[in-house]
Amino acid sequence: MSKAPPKTLAVVGAGAMGGQIAFQAALHGYDVHLVSRKPERLQTACTDNGELLRRRVEKGKLGAEECEAALARVQASTDLSHIGGCSVVLESVAEDREVKREVLQRISENADVDAIIGTNSSTLSSSLFEQDVRNPQRLLNVHFFNPPLVMQLVEVVRGEHTADATVEAAMRFVSDIGKTPVLVTKETYGFIANRILFIAMQEAFRLVQGGFVTVEDCDLAVRNGLGWPMGPFELADLVGLDVVEAILAEGHAQTGEDRWTPPAILSERVRRGDLGKKSGSGFRT
Ligand code: CAA
């Protein structure tokens, strides 16, 4: 019988996404290296996620021992050389092509050559970074949703040269950390969920920009009429207005279609530094 691979994961990038991905995997028995260049970001990720998990204990949703064991499984580090020996490495840094390129190069230099390298980008397909890694057969998108501790879906996206074994292992990994994987068999802008979500958001932006409805009423309509847990403006604040703008701009750049052009109502806020929840001000924050 073949031996199960060790449950070892590295997450590079400790923002809202990377931090929660690390703790989600730790809850499912993974030893996790959480890496960031910024020690203060690691500190925040450990503190915030510690609070989230301990709150689950208070609510009776998680055992106290299980919680403390999960917290102890996450090793925070500013040193990327520690990722050697991890069977899966997930990149979750800024949604910026050059930043991701540089980070993926450094990951590839430090990771085992047969480690799976997953990029958590929603819009930049892994094939764009093939030249940056030693083993493109082990590279693919593994795309989580915000907040990763809560949202069930993870999109696994096959790159042009991703090996079948890599796709299978990535699907298994996602299930193993308690999430539901869906496979996107060919790269396309926005994959599945974002492609649908961001068109809906664009319509919401147009309705408000055109003076047809207020931000508040638009959210109310979508919550109550469509049954979404959040309206598009609340959701944009949660995702980060800069991230929303970057996703749309990338859609426009990749497809040449005007429907993805970031609207003024969004770009003006980003220029002012109103980025949503993370900056303390946005559409609804
Ligand atoms: N991080 C972690 N956990 C959170 C959280 C956060 N930011 N916000 C809420 N939670 C947890 C709460 O602790 C609570 O946990 P328990 O059930 O264990 O107690 C649970 O979620 C429910 O929270 P609340 O009762 O406070 O609030 P809610 O019922 O309104 O749920 C929500 C909050 C889960 C965020 C819900 O509103 C929701 O599902 N919103 C939609 C989120 C969404 O669409 N995400 C996708 C964004 S697009 C994306 O991520 C793709 C991309 O590439 C940009």
Side-chain angles (χ1 to χ4, degrees):
M1 212 167 74
S2 67
K3 233 173 82 188
K7 290 185 156 204
T8 48
L9 169 70
V11 181
V12 180
M17 297 297 289
Q20 290 201 13
I21 294 167
F23 284 87
Q24 174 68 27
L27 276 172
H28 288 264
Y30 276 74
D31 288 318
V32 185
H33 283 290
L34 178 60
V35 184
S36 169
R37 276 180 314 177
K38 298 185 176 164
E40 64 277 12
R41 196 161 274 180
L42 291 167
Q43 182 64 49
T44 305
C46 291
T47 308
D48 289 356
N49 284 289
E51 277 173 25
L52 283 167
L53 297 197
R54 291 193 177 110
R55 223 176 294 152
R56 286 189 181 180
V57 175
E58 283 162 22
K59 290 182 180 169
K61 293 182 171 176
L62 179 68
E65 275 179 28
E66 211 183 323
C67 171
E68 295 309 317
L71 297 179
R73 277 190 210 109
V74 178
Q75 302 265 337
S77 172
T78 51
D79 187 353
L80 217 142
S81 67
H82 291 164
I83 69 174
C86 291
S87 51
V88 180
V89 182
L90 298 178
E91 161 284 308
S92 188
V93 298
E95 194 71 12
D96 176 295
R97 202 179 284 219
E98 286 318 307
V99 173
K100 287 206 187 278
R101 185 180 304 289
E102 192 202 318
V103 168
L104 285 164
Q105 285 170 355
R106 291 182 51 230
I107 287 174
S108 182
E109 283 159 18
N110 287 281
D112 295 354
V113 73
D114 61 351
I116 292 174
I117 301 180
T119 163
N120 182 34
S121 177
S122 51
T123 52
L124 299 168
S125 299
S126 70
S127 298
L128 292 169
F129 303 107
E130 272 190 10
Q131 312 291 328
D132 301 300
V133 298
R134 285 183 292 164
N135 189 352
Q137 295 203 343
R138 299 298 270 171
L139 178 70
L140 78 177
N141 285 78
V142 181
H143 177 224
F144 289 76
F145 289 79
N146 195 342
L149 276 171
V150 180
M151 301 307 286
Q152 196 56 35
L153 178 67
V154 177
E155 293 170 330
V156 173
V157 187
R158 177 191 281 277
E160 264 175 57
H161 295 104
T162 313
D164 289 346
T166 304
V167 171
E168 284 155 22
M171 297 288 283
R172 268 198 312 276
F173 163 75
V174 171
S175 299
D176 207 28
I177 63 166
K179 296 294 173 190
T180 303
V182 288
L183 179 61
V184 180
T185 50
K186 198 165 116 187
E187 292 169 335
T188 181
Y189 167 72
F191 311 139
I192 308 165
N194 273 4
R195 185 137 171 162
I196 295 168
L197 169 64
F198 282 87
I199 276 300
M201 254 190 205
Q202 285 287 66
E203 289 303 326
F205 295 147
R206 279 188 197 111
L207 282 170
V208 170
Q209 206 163 269
F212 298 102
V213 65
T214 63
V215 161
E216 289 75 14
D217 277 355
C218 187
D219 277 352
L220 203 60
V222 172
R223 268 179 182 263
N224 290 287
L226 302 179
W228 289 21
M230 288 175 137
F233 292 94
E234 296 167 294
L235 190 52
D237 278 358
L238 173 72
V239 170
L241 303 195
D242 52 336
V243 177
V244 173
E245 187 189 41
I247 288 172
L248 292 172
E250 192 58 42
H252 185 250
Q254 285 183 27
T255 65
E257 295 168 2
D258 286 342
R259 63 184 174 143
W260 301 111
T261 307
I265 189 179
L266 175 68
S267 298
E268 281 161 8
R269 281 175 172 76
V270 174
R271 262 198 307 279
R272 287 203 300 266
D274 297 336
L275 306 182
K277 224 171 145 216
K278 63 185 161 192
S279 76
S281 60
F283 285 113
R284 299 293 309 273
T285 310

